[in-house]
Amino acid sequence: RLVIKILEEKIKSEGVVLGSDILKVDSFLNHQVDPFLMSQIGQAFADKFSQAGITKVLTIEASGIAPALMTSLQLQVPMVFARKHKSRTLSGNFYTASVYSFTKQTENKIAISKKFINADDRVLIIDDFLANGQAVQGLLDITSQAGATAVGVGIVIEKRFQAGHDLILSKNIPLVSLASIDHFQDGQVVFNNEG
Amino acid sequence: RLVIKILEEKIKSEGVVLGSDILKVDSFLNHQVDPFLMSQIGQAFADKFSQAGITKVLTIEASGIAPALMTSLQLQVPMVFARKHKSRTLSGNFYTASVYSFTKQTENKIAISKKFINADDRVLIIDDFLANGQAVQGLLDITSQAGATAVGVGIVIEKRFQAGHDLILSKNIPLVSLASIDHFQDGQVVFNNEG
Ligand SMILES: Nc1nc2c(ncn2[C@@H]2O[C@H](COP(=O)(O)OP(=O)(O)O)[C@@H](OP(=O)(O)OP(=O)(O)O)[C@H]2O)c(=O)[nH]1
Ligand SMILES: Nc1nc2c(ncn2[C@@H]2O[C@H](COP(=O)(O)OP(=O)(O)O)[C@@H](OP(=O)(O)OP(=O)(O)O)[C@H]2O)c(=O)[nH]1
C-alpha cells in the first residue's frame, strides 16, 4: 500500500544507519515528526485491524505516542501511553512490567494505571520500532495482568534481524509491520520486500 | 467555542484536584488520551494561529506530543518534541535549555537538534499545562538560540494563579489557552469565565 512505499522512501532518503544495528529516523518519527505521515500510518493500522473489535490502543512514551494517537483517532477509541519515568500525577494503582535493555543491560519499569485497562478491553499495541521486542512484551504483560485481550500489534519499522518479530508471532498475536528491514548493508537499508 | 466547552466539561467531570495546586486529568490528556478531543484541540490552535505563517510546532515530551501533533497536522507543518531524557539516537548537535522545577527544586535539561530549527523558522509552541512557565520558557530560549521567531504559544490548560501566563505575555508573545483555571475551591475547578 501507498504508506509503505512512502515510509520506505523516507527511510532510504532520510534515515541514517548507525553502527551495525540502529536506524536513525529522527527527521520524521523520533524527534521531528511528520504529522501527515503519522496520519497515514494511523489509517493503515486502523484499516488492518478494523474488524478486531478494538477498545483501546496501547503504546509507550515517547516515540510511540504519535503513531498510536493517529491509530486511535481512526479507530475512535482511547489511547493509553505507558509511563517509563515518574510523572507529576502518577499516583494510585498501576500495572507494571519490566522492560530489559540489551544495550544498557538494565531493567526498566513501565506502568499503566489500572483505571484505564480492564478485562473487557481488546487491545491494539502500537510502537515505532520493533527490535528485541522487550517493550511490546512489557505491554503484553500488562494487558494480560489486566485480564484484557491483546488482539494485535502494529509496528512502524521492524528490524527482522532482531528477535522481536518472532517473539510476537510465537504468542499467536497478529503483527502488522509497515516497514520491515531485512538487514543493513554498507550503511544502507535493505527491506524484506527487496533484493 | 465548542472545544473550550467540551474541555471544561471534561475537566469538571473527570479532573481531580490534588492538594492545593494540581489538576489531574490523566483520563483524557496525561496518561489515557482522547484522540478526538486532541483533534479538536489541534483544530482550535490551528485556527487561532492560521495567519501567523508558522513553519514548525514545538513541544516537550511526553504530554505535549498529542496536542502538538494534532496542531501540526492542521497547520501542515512538522512538529518537533524536545527531549528531556537521553534517547537512543540522541547524538549530534543540540540546542539545550534549563527548565527549573519548583517542586523538586532541580534544574533539568531539554534538547532540540539543531537540524530541526533554524533562523527561518516561525515557531508555535504547544503544551498541555501552563503553570510556572518554565517548560515554555525553555522552548522560547531554544527558539531564540536558533535565531528563529516565536510567533505564539498554545496551551490546553492554564492555571492563572501561577506565574506562567504573565511570564509569556511579558515577552509580547500571543498566548492562546483553551481552558483557563482561575483557582481551585474545595477540590473544585473554577474557570476564569465563571463566577
Ligand atoms: N531510532 C531507533 N530506535 C531504536 C532502534 N532499535 C531500538 N530502538 C529504540 O531504542 C529503545 C530501546 O533501547 P534499550 O531500552 O536500550 O533496549 P535495547 O538495547 O534492548 O534495544 C527504544 O526507544 P524508546 O524507548 O521507544 O525511546 P523513545 O524514542 O520513545 O523515547 C526503541 O524504540 C533503531 O534501530 N532506531
Ligand atoms: N497533571 C498536571 N500536571 C501539571 C500541573 N501543573 C504542572 N504540571 C506538570 O508538571 C510537570 C512540571 O513539574 P516540575 O518539573 O516538577 O515543575 P514545577 O514543580 O515547577 O511545576 C510538567 O509535566 P511534564 O514535564 O509535561 O510531564 P509529562 O506529562 O509530559 O511527562 C507539567 O506539565 C497540573 O496542575 N496538573
Side-chain angles (χ1 to χ4, degrees):
Chain A
R1 54 184 297 162
L2 184 60
V3 67
I4 292 177
K5 276 230 153 305
I6 292 169
L7 183 56
E8 290 183 349
E9 281 307 305
K10 285 190 84 100
I11 287 168
K12 290 235 184 216
S13 58
E14 296 178 42
V16 177
V17 173
L18 302 176
S20 60
D21 58 11
I22 295 292
L23 172 70
K24 186 171 178 174
V25 285
D26 61 351
S27 64
F28 63 87
L29 181 63
N30 292 121
H31 186 31
Q32 176 163 269
V33 182
D34 179 337
F36 185 64
L37 176 65
M38 294 303 115
S39 171
Q40 293 175 298
I41 284 169
Q43 189 68 65
F45 287 137
D47 289 349
K48 290 281 189 177
F49 291 104
S50 61
Q51 304 307 311
I54 288 157
T55 63
K56 201 141 287 194
V57 174
L58 257 52
T59 192
I60 295 178
E61 60 174 330
S63 296
I65 292 171
L69 182 68
M70 291 302 186
T71 305
S72 69
L73 180 70
Q74 296 302 325
L75 289 172
Q76 298 181 51
V77 300
M79 182 273 278
V80 183
F81 61 92
R83 289 287 189 173
K84 291 192 289 198
H85 309 105
K86 285 217 179 304
S87 164
R88 194 70 181 269
T89 60
L90 217 72
S91 55
N93 294 326
F94 283 80
Y95 293 114
T96 63
S98 280
V99 176
Y100 183 70
S101 161
F102 284 81
T103 8
K104 303 188 203 95
Q105 294 192 7
T106 51
E107 292 271 357
N108 221 15
K109 269 203 161 40
I110 65 169
I112 290 184
S113 170
K114 292 185 180 183
K115 291 192 299 180
F116 304 130
I117 179 169
N118 61 53
D120 298 328
D121 279 311
R122 294 175 61 78
V123 169
L124 172 62
I125 287 166
I126 298 291
D127 212 358
D128 55 323
F129 272 93
L130 179 59
N132 293 310
Q134 299 305 298
V136 171
Q137 182 134 286
L139 290 173
L140 289 170
D141 185 345
I142 286 172
T143 299
S144 141
Q145 289 178 46
T149 307
V151 299
V153 176
I155 296 295
V156 181
I157 302 171
E158 83 175 348
K159 292 182 285 178
R160 281 295 294 274
F161 56 87
Q162 290 182 295
H165 175 100
D166 292 350
L167 183 63
I168 292 165
L169 292 191
S170 72
K171 297 168 188 282
N172 291 321
I173 295 169
L175 170 62
V176 172
S177 300
L178 300 180
S180 183
I181 297 173
D182 188 80
H183 65 281
F184 300 130
Q185 179 111 22
D186 309 321
Q188 301 298 318
V189 176
V190 180
F191 295 109
N192 276 103
N193 55 19
E194 294 180 299
Chain B
R1 54 184 297 163
L2 183 60
V3 67
I4 292 176
K5 277 230 153 305
I6 293 168
L7 183 56
E8 290 182 350
E9 281 307 305
K10 286 191 83 103
I11 288 168
K12 289 234 184 219
S13 57
E14 296 178 41
V16 177
V17 174
L18 301 176
S20 59
D21 58 9
I22 295 292
L23 172 70
K24 186 171 177 173
V25 283
D26 60 350
S27 64
F28 63 88
L29 181 63
N30 291 123
H31 186 31
Q32 175 162 271
V33 182
D34 179 337
F36 184 65
L37 176 64
M38 293 304 116
S39 170
Q40 291 175 298
I41 283 168
Q43 189 68 65
F45 287 137
D47 288 350
K48 291 281 190 178
F49 291 104
S50 62
Q51 304 308 311
I54 288 158
T55 63
K56 201 141 288 192
V57 174
L58 257 52
T59 192
I60 296 177
E61 59 174 331
S63 295
I65 291 172
L69 182 70
M70 290 303 186
T71 305
S72 70
L73 180 70
Q74 295 302 323
L75 289 171
Q76 299 181 50
V77 299
M79 182 271 278
V80 183
F81 61 94
R83 289 287 188 172
K84 292 192 288 196
H85 309 104
K86 285 214 178 304
S87 164
R88 194 71 182 267
T89 60
L90 217 72
S91 56
N93 295 326
F94 284 80
Y95 293 114
T96 64
S98 279
V99 177
Y100 184 69
S101 161
F102 284 82
T103 7
K104 304 188 202 96
Q105 294 189 10
T106 51
E107 290 272 356
N108 221 14
K109 270 203 159 38
I110 65 170
I112 290 183
S113 170
K114 292 185 180 182
K115 291 192 299 182
F116 304 130
I117 179 169
N118 62 52
D120 300 327
D121 279 312
R122 294 176 60 78
V123 169
L124 171 62
I125 288 166
I126 298 292
D127 211 358
D128 57 324
F129 271 93
L130 179 59
N132 293 310
Q134 299 306 300
V136 171
Q137 183 133 283
L139 290 173
L140 288 170
D141 185 345
I142 285 173
T143 300
S144 141
Q145 289 178 47
T149 307
V151 300
V153 176
I155 296 296
V156 181
I157 302 171
E158 83 174 350
K159 291 183 284 178
R160 280 295 294 273
F161 57 87
Q162 289 182 295
H165 174 100
D166 293 350
L167 181 62
I168 292 166
L169 292 190
S170 71
K171 297 169 188 283
N172 291 321
I173 295 169
L175 170 62
V176 171
S177 300
L178 300 180
S180 183
I181 297 173
D182 187 80
H183 65 280
F184 298 130
Q185 180 111 21
D186 308 320
Q188 301 298 319
V189 175
V190 180
F191 295 108
N192 276 105
N193 56 18
E194 296 180 295

